[in-house]
Amino acid sequence: VQLVESGGGSVQPGGSLRLSCDASRSIFSVSSMGWSRQAPGKGREFVATITMGGDISYADSVKGRFTISRDNAKNVVYLEMNSLKPEDTAVYYCYARTSVVTYWGKGTLVTVSS
């Protein structure tokens, strides 16, 4: 199974980006999918997750600014990011979690700078 992120890039503070995570095929027994990020010199941190039942949760740092959604028919998960701040600069990783393994994408870089 491959997870491929896209949509990263450079944007000014206050701008928006939409990330996509495309699964190469339907993942059996996926319980949730989501996004984590890793800023330069820091550890990876949770950003947002959506369960197959539709429950959603966000990190406090992105609540009200980021929106996670999914298209089950296309095996795609999205992360809509608005009101971006310089501290949102990071490599964003998509993941898909099952009861026995978590799959990760290779990441897409988001840079927020004036």
Side-chain angles (χ1 to χ4, degrees):
V1 175
Q2 285 186 318
L3 300 175
V4 180
E5 302 96 335
S6 61
S10 295
V11 64
Q12 293 186 339
S16 299
L17 285 173
R18 188 194 197 202
L19 305 184
S20 298
C21 173
D22 194 345
S24 59
R25 61 175 175 83
S26 180
I27 304 173
F28 180 72
S29 295
V30 170
S31 59
S32 65
M33 295 185 70
W35 296 87
S36 291
R37 68 186 181 185
Q38 186 165 14
K42 296 187 178 180
R44 194 172 296 192
E45 64 173 2
F46 165 76
V47 175
T49 190
I50 182 167
T51 71
M52 293 304 101
D55 295 325
I56 290 173
S57 60
Y58 297 98
D60 288 343
S61 59
V62 306
K63 278 181 183 176
R65 300 187 298 120
F66 290 11
T67 302
I68 189 171
S69 61
R70 71 176 194 270
D71 184 330
N72 288 340
K74 297 181 180 179
N75 298 320
V76 178
V77 174
Y78 304 99
L79 186 68
E80 184 77 34
M81 305 186 296
N82 298 313
S83 302
L84 283 161
K85 304 175 181 180
E87 51 263 43
D88 294 317
T89 294
V91 177
Y92 284 72
Y93 297 92
C94 172
Y95 64 84
R97 182 167 290 134
T98 73
S99 61
V100 293
V101 65
T102 299
Y103 300 96
W104 289 92
K106 293 184 178 181
T108 185
L109 177 63
V110 172
T111 302
V112 185
S113 174
S114 55

